[in-house]
């Protein structure tokens, strides 16, 4: 494979960081591990720059970490369509680009869908969707957890880097210093907390501050932060603030570039994550985690959450399964006007903490189970199968 094989990824940022998070991760992987010439078209450079701080938000075209990043503007320029065209999450491609694809007849056109563990995905992954007017076919590509799906994004060598980090005290100390902290004592339970607004937070913070074990909670700047501040009577919480109560210490961290977020997950004992991409990263971290799913209006996210739980919990003991269900439900039942009470989340935490030994072992095994199903490699393989991109030679995955 070489840089003659081109790829355009289109990303329309709706809100939060998931759309650009996934697109940017895939773009880097295809460029740096599979040697494709990748252009990432994104319509919100401000969001992109949070994940890649060296990006220039005023620059319409720039090179970032091996990827050409282009501002996707309404008046779309005339460009040559790529061999592989990925529209992230069904964002509609510019009409002129689609027409050019039809004229050229050489692109593999993929709609990269949202991640879901629901069964219906098996029947939809890889399905063709012929264009209503033009001689073009788009293919649905679904990330997922089983062999019948497109798998998950996983960079080459990620798990080896994680293991090295987790076995190397000097690297860990370096991480803590980089966030302006001393390495916590061995008995301190370290938690990262990335989430949306959540009324279940108070119960958790009560449980952590009133418990017998020292707890350190690291909160990346974001939507849950005002509530954390409120709990400690601070109406102006921001990066760098530190709070403590009982056995709990809290530190507010800056939002870090995407690669460094992994280190935070690796350094903590339990990770609270949200949306899509951070949830996958927590699974690669090999630690117990709690997922706050992106809430949808018609409550379909409940089915999505349960579908994942059904897979994730299948090999757990009854007690550990109940502990995971209990905490995940308490954490998700409580949207901005949710029903979870403080007692629910506090009690659910106690059961979860009691199951931690088993959950630790499970988290390691779960990650190992998923390793072989690599999204970028599956995607290239799929394109070869649909016969468009003959130049692809798939390299074996090394973790
Ligand atoms: O930001 P999100 O809530 O994104 C959501 C979901 O993807 C959801 O499915 C989608 O429909 C909605 O957006 C529009 O959560 P997610 O997916 O975890 O994305 C966060 C990204 O931010 C992820 O790539 C990790 C990254 N990140 C950093 O780079 N640095 C940080 O400090 C933190 C906390 C996160």
């Amino acid at each position: 494979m070489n840089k003659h094989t081109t790829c355009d990824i289109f990303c329309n940022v709706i809100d939060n960081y998931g759309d650009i998070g996934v697109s940017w991760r895939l773009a880097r992987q295809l460029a740096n591990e599979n040697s494709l010439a990748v252009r990432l078209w994104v319509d919100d450079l401000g969001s992109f720059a949070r994940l890649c701080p060296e990006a220039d938000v005023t620059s319409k075209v720039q090179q970032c970490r091996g990827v050409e990043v282009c501002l996707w503007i309404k008046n779309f320029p005339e460009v040559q369509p790529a061999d592989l065209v990925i529209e992230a999450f069904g964002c509609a491609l510019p009409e002129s680009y689609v027409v050019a694809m039809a004229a050229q007849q050489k692109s593999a056109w993929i709609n990269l869908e949202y991640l879901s563990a629901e069964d219906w995905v098996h029947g939809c992954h890889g399905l063709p969707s012929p264009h209503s007017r033009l001689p073009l076919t788009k293919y649905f590509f679904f990330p997922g957890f089983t062999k019948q799906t497109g798998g998950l994004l996983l960079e080459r060598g990620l798990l080896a880097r994680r293991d090295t980090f987790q076995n190397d005290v000097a690297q860990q100390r370096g991480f803590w210093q980089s966030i302006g902290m001393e390495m916590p004592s061995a008995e301190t339970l370290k938690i990262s907390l990335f989430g949306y607004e959540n009324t279940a937070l108070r119960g958790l913070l009560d449980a952590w501050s009133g418990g017998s074990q020292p707890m350190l909670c690291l909160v990346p700047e974001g939507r849950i932060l005002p509530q954390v501040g409120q709990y400690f009577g601070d109406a102006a919480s921001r990066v760098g603030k530190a709070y403590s109560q009982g056995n709990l210490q809290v530190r507010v961290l800056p939002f870090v570039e995407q690669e460094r977020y992994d280190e935070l997950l690796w350094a903590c004992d339990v990770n609270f994550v949200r949306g899509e991409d951070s949830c996958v990263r927590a699974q690669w971290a090999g630690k117990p985690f709690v997922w706050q799913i992106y809430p949808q209006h018609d409550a379909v996210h409940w089915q999505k959450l349960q579908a994942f739980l059904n897979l994730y919990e299948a090999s757990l003991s009854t007690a550990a399964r109940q502990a995971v269900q209990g905490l995940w439900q308490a954490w998700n039942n409580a949207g901005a006007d949710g029903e979870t009470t403080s007692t629910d989340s506090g009690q659910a935490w106690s059961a979860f903490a009691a199951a931690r030994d088993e959950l630790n072992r499970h988290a390691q095994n779960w990650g190992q189970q998923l390793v072989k199903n690599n999204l970028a490699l599956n995607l290239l393989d799929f394109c070869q199968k649909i016969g468009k991109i003959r130049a692809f030679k798939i390299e074996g995955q090394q973790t």
Side-chain angles (χ1 to χ4, degrees), residues 15-19 51 196 255-256 258 261 274 276-278:
D15 61 358
N16 304 308
Y17 300 104
D19 306 300
L51 307 178
Y196 309 115
F255 194 92
V256 293
Q258 203 180 39
Y261 178 57
R274 73 182 205 193
E276 174 165 332
D277 191 54
S278 58

Side-chain angles (χ1 to χ4, degrees), residues 204-213 215 231 245-248:
L204 266 193
L205 296 178
D206 282 346
W208 294 345
S209 57
S212 54
Q213 184 174 14
M215 306 284 287
Y231 181 85
Q245 181 171 299
N247 253 337
L248 171 64

Side-chain angles (χ1 to χ4, degrees), residues 192-233:
S192 75
L193 183 66
F194 179 47
Y196 309 115
E197 301 77 5
N198 195 329
T199 54
L201 177 68
R202 175 165 290 276
L204 266 193
L205 296 178
D206 282 346
W208 294 345
S209 57
S212 54
Q213 184 174 14
M215 306 284 287
L216 172 64
C217 174
L218 302 168
V219 187
E221 187 188 14
R223 285 174 55 176
I224 203 169
L225 184 57
Q227 279 183 278
V228 173
Q230 239 168 45
Y231 181 85
F232 293 98

